[in-house]
């Protein structure tokens, strides 16, 4: 099963490598791993999407918790949570297909952020499944290049990380430096 | 230590070591670590530095000291090759949960990342073989890092911590107050026991007809042998120990039914397989204990008491578990349980014992059986020696035939199985207990991996006896070749060896050789009379195997019990293969 795990860590050098090392050393499969700052410069948040049975996920959580630099680990999967992935997609847009592509973009609440003679760059955010669906459709027109961020997630309502709620709120858009 | 003075980083390191109660450490110097060695030299009245001949020797000595005392062992090495030489020891300490702090010099900060002379990415290399590691980036954080390193190493499930200190930081001066406490929260390392589980466990124990306690090295690390004894005696439940747990429960006690696992006794493995309640205490269901998982104690409910959350449910699912301080947990559990006589259960265990006791046959005029040599060591030291081992057959015979009634007298490399561990570990133990006899029961192959440290036993006149069970083979691997590779002895014969007696003599200590059982008794009697170091080279029967043996991948009941038994097994396999081939 696919799990979304949110991890708060000390923003120390080497932490990212400790986390990724753990996954490779123990043979766990990650779909994606995203690191970002929080509004506390000393704390970073890592969002990991990992697949495995109950035993594997249980070990993943415990092993993450065991790292000295880990502050808190939460498996969001069983909570009510919101997950978003961002994609930038460069897709072919010939004169006779431009309007069809634009229609698809509209349907998926995307934006055309760059227009060239024979292509668009499309920006879209959403659940992984939504983006997958859009990508499937756009493949018909020819995807030239694509980049995706991987999933970031947050639980609805109550704070995921109660203990550090004061310091830890992701501030979108605020520039900051991660030491990871 | 509130008032601060201008001090060098190196001085801070030494002050923090002393403040942590470190009396001695082992190491080998070099360019990047020179300032710290200089500070150690200037403070030699406060802390003893022992210069080893190899960094691997230094770290195994620190491990031996830690295992014998329960205190944090400390070693120090220079950057680059010095640091990479301790990687095996770090991994060994990580696998066996040994509290250890390793200090390494690093190239000066501005040179890091430039492939400087003797630069190695030591925190990168050691990330997966340390409990935690630090690269000191600023002299201001150095005292706190030292404090944290010791706290992490000793708290909860112990383990090795490495502190990498660039040369410029060791040489720089600053005024930094020394912190009293670690910044790492205790709860991070030591879970608080959820006592609500105790009742559930007591209930499971109450209803069990055939319970078994399976205890491991975690009991020794937690200093909970006494608590284990009280709990076991109160309940009257039989006890088996892992290789790492030997000594956690007195071997002479009537409830003790030997070591379990790959080379465990027949009764221990049969009891394990047939019990209806398995109480795992400070043990981690290692594959050398479980054998094939589907055959592992298949009909039992399982209880797990440990300090490390990742150990719970990692290999084997359990019905109840509790995490935390083992002394507290065992004491609480002991209060909740009563005693039963388990008469039928003990009778059954007795039947197994009578059927296949741990045994060997020593012919009067034949070659010396290695088990006989261990028996003699045990008899002549009255079970009071500290025993270390290398890795191989001799290690298993030592585990089977030397009986430990107290913890911290059995020092062996279990998780990693590091050849070359035993001799330096013996040196570390001898520094901790200069009045004890420390014996490295060694294989001829393993001893040759770290024997350069003979200089140290001579220099400090340590009471370390190296007793080599010499079969001129990498015996354990030969045993596997005998059993599973049609006796093709690829790379296991090592006929060219130093004359170990002369080797001892050239280092200025005594050397002895024994080739018959009479000589074994005679020589051992003599060497145990003295407090001096020596090598005893005993020629043992090359053809001897360690039995019982659970073949890798087999279930615990698939034990091979003797050579004859194995020949039957091979014959049956061949017949089966032929029958299959015939059908084609
Ligand atoms: C550093 C290291 N290399 C290789 C091995 C694999 N190995 C395990 S036992 C063994 C043979 C040990 O021979 P010896 O020390 O003579 O002991 P014996 O088995 O003969 O008693 C070997 C090579 C190991 N455990 N450690």
């Amino acid at each position: 099963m696919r799990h979304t795990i949110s991890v708060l860590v000390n923003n120390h050098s080497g932490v990212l490598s400790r986390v990724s090392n753990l996954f490779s050393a123990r043979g766990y499969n990650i779909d994606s791993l995203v690191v970002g700052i929080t509004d506390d410069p000393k704390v970073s948040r890592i969002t990991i999407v990992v697949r495995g049975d109950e035993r594997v996920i249980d070990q993943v959580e415990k092993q993450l918790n065991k790292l000295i630099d880990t502050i808190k680990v939460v498996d969001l999967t069983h909570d009510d949570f919101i997950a978003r992935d961002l994609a930038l997609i460069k897709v072919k847009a010939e004169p006779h297909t431009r309007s069809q592509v634009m229609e698809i973009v509209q349907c998926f609440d995307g934006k055309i952020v760059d227009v060239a003679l024979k292509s668009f760059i499309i920006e879209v955010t959403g659940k992984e499944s939504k983006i997958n669906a859009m990508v499937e459709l756009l493949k018909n027109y020819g995807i030239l290049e694509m980049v995706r961020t991987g999933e970031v997630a947050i639980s609805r309502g109550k704070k995921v990380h109660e203990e550090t709620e004061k310091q830890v709120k992701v501030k979108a858009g605020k520039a900051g430096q991660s030491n990871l | 230590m509130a008032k601060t003075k201008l001090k060098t980083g190196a001085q801070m390191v030494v002050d923090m070591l002393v403040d942590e109660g470190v009396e001695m450490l082992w190491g080998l110097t070099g360019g990047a670590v020179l300032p710290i060695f200089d500070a150690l030299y200037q403070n030699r009245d406060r802390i003893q530095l022992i210069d080893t001949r190899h960094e691997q020797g230094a770290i195994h000595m620190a491990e031996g000291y830690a295992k014998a005392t329960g205190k944090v062992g400390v070693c120090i090495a220079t950057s680059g090759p010095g640091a990479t030489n301790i990687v095996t020891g770090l991994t060994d300490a990580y696998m066996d949960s040994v509290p250890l702090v390793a200090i390494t010099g690093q190239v000066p900060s501005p040179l890091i990342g430039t492939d400087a002379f003797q630069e190695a990415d030591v925190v990168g290399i050691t990330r997966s073989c340390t409990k935690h590691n630090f690269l000191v980036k600023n002299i201001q954080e150095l005292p706190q890092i030292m404090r944290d390193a010791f706290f992490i190493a000793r708290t909860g499930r112990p383990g090795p911590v490495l502190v990498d200190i660039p040369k410029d930081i060791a040489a720089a001066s600053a005024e930094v107050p020394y912190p009293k406490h670690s910044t790492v929260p205790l709860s991070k390392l030591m879970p608080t026991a959820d006592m609500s589980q105790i009742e559930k466990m007591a209930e499971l124990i109450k209803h069990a007809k055939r319970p078994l306690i399976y205890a491991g090295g975690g009991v020794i690390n937690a200093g909970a042998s006494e608590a284990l004894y009280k709990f076991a005696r109160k309940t009257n439940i039989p006890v088996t120990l892992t290789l790492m747990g030997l000594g956690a429960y007195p071997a002479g006690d009537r409830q003790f039914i030997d070591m379990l696992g790959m080379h465990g006794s027949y009764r221990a493995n049969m009891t394990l397989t047939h019990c209806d309640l398995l109480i795992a205490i400070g043990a981690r269901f290692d594959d050398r204990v479980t054998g094939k998982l589907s055959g592992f104690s298949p009909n039992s409910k399982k209880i797990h008491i440990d300090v490390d959350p990742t150990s719970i449910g990692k290999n084997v699912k359990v019905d109840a578990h509790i995490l935390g301080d083992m002394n507290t947990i065992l004491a609480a559990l002991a209060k909740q349980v009563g005693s039963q006589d388990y008469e039928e259960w003990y009778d059954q265990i007795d039947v197994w014992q009578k059927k296949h006791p741990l045994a060997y046959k020593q012919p009067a005029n034949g070659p010396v059986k290695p088990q006989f040599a261990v028996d003699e060591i045990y008899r002549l030291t009255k079970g009071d020696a500290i025993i270390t081992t290398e890795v191989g057959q001799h290690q298993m015979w030592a585990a089977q035939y030397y009986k430990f009634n107290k913890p911290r007298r059995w020092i062996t490399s279990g998780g990693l199985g590091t050849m070359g561990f035993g001799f330096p570990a013996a040196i570390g133990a001898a520094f901790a207990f200069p009045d004890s006899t420390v014996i490295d029961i060694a294989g001829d192959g393993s001893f040759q991996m770290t024997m350069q440290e003979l200089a140290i036993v001579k220099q400090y006149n340590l009471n370390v006896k190296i007793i080599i069970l010499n079969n001129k083979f990498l015996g354990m691997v030969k045993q596997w070749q005998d059993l599973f590779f049609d006796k093709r002895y690829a790379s296991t014969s090592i006929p060219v060896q130093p004359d170990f007696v002369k080797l001892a003599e050239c280092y200025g200590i005594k050397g002895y050789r024994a080739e018959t059982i009479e000589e074994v008794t005679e020589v051992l009697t003599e060497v145990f009379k003295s407090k001096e170091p020596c090598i005893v080279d005993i020629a043992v029967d090359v053809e001897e195997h360690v039995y019982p043996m659970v073949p890798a991948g087999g279930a615990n009941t698939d034990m091979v019990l003797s050579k004859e038994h194995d020949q039957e097994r091979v014959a049956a396999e061949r017949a089966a293969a032929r029958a299959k081939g015939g059908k084609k």
Side-chain angles (χ1 to χ4, degrees), chain A residues 17 55 59 65-67 70, chain B residues 127 188 308 310 312 314:
Chain A
S17 123
R55 196 182 58 87
Q59 271 296 307
N65 254 318
K66 202 167 161 177
L67 297 176
T70 301
Chain B
R127 201 163 277 143
K188 173 99 232 164
D308 179 2
T310 64
I312 308 289
K314 184 172 63 180

Side-chain angles (χ1 to χ4, degrees), chain B residues 390-395 397 416-419 442-447 449 469 471 473-477 494:
Chain B
E390 308 295 339
V391 171
Q393 292 178 307
H394 62 277
Q395 176 188 31
W397 286 315
L416 195 64
T418 309
M419 290 169 71
D444 45 296
S446 298
F447 178 57
M449 287 202 179
L469 305 185
N471 50 16
F473 260 93
L474 300 173
M476 185 57 97
V477 183
I494 46 170

Side-chain angles (χ1 to χ4, degrees), chain B residues 154 156 190-193 195 198 216-232 248 280-282 305-307 322-336 407-408:
Chain B
R154 77 160 82 83
M190 176 60 100
T192 1
M195 289 300 179
I198 295 275
V219 173
I220 297 173
N221 286 337
S225 307
E226 201 50 51
L228 171 66
Y229 183 72
K230 284 191 186 142
F231 168 69
I281 309 177
I305 299 171
D306 208 278
V307 67
I322 186 163
L323 289 161
D325 173 55
M326 231 160 270
N327 272 308
T328 319
I329 297 168
L330 287 173
L333 193 55
K335 268 201 201 125
Q336 297 279 321
R408 302 201 176 281

